[in-house]
Amino acid sequence: MQEKRSRRTNEQRTQETRRALIAAARALFLAKGYADTGTPEIVAAAGVTRGALYHHFEDKRALFLGVVESELAAVAAEVEQAETPGAEPFEALVEGGWGFFDAMAKEGRTRLLLIEAPAVLSAAELAELDRRHGGRTLVEGLHAAMKGEFIRILPVEPLAAMLSAVFDRGALALQAGADAKEIRQVIRAMLEGLRV
């Protein structure tokens, strides 16, 4: 019994250290950029040792990958929460799009995911992360809309890739000060073009 309690405590400590490293790294990557952030700054901000950093992450790049994955998971969760339970699949797609824009509006998220990440990580790494998170939710939504005959049957993967690019450009435009109402109007019109 005592052994299980201490293992759980060790697991909790491990997760707390990992979260502290990711939070500190996120803040520093946003403040200074990936290239100008050093691991000594990260461990100092996280309140851990360099040994703890290298126990959890192979190097700074691996930590950056962890930060990006954490952000993408948060975006996917926020997109899923934005969808009204029981909404018909087409409206769920639209609501998911609005959820994406709301999620990307979190301080620094657009810069981190759409500017810093492509400069640091490979296209294959980003595609794999997207497949597990935001891309997954979009593909699932498209499948549901096609299955329910709300939108035309099209190759799902290329369609998801194209829509994802449109949403990313929309997020960048919103960050730069574009009118949110206009962006939403254009996105909705594009999605309406998929209707049967």
Side-chain angles (χ1 to χ4, degrees), residues 16-105:
E16 287 168 11
T17 300
R18 186 176 174 84
R19 280 192 297 270
L21 283 163
I22 286 174
R26 181 191 193 279
L28 286 164
F29 291 146
L30 286 175
K32 302 176 71 175
Y34 174 82
D36 292 330
T37 299
T39 55
E41 298 170 278
I42 295 169
V43 297
V48 301
T49 65
R50 284 178 66 89
L53 168 66
Y54 293 116
H55 174 74
H56 293 280
F57 300 98
E58 183 180 340
D59 54 19
K60 181 175 85 166
R61 189 176 184 285
L63 175 55
F64 182 77
L65 184 70
V67 169
V68 169
E69 179 150 31
S70 174
E71 291 294 309
L72 288 171
V75 169
E78 291 175 44
V79 166
E80 289 173 340
Q81 290 171 1
E83 297 171 9
T84 305
E88 62 101 331
F90 179 80
E91 286 306 319
L93 275 175
V94 173
E95 290 172 358
W98 305 162
F100 174 78
F101 289 139
D102 291 342
M104 292 300 284

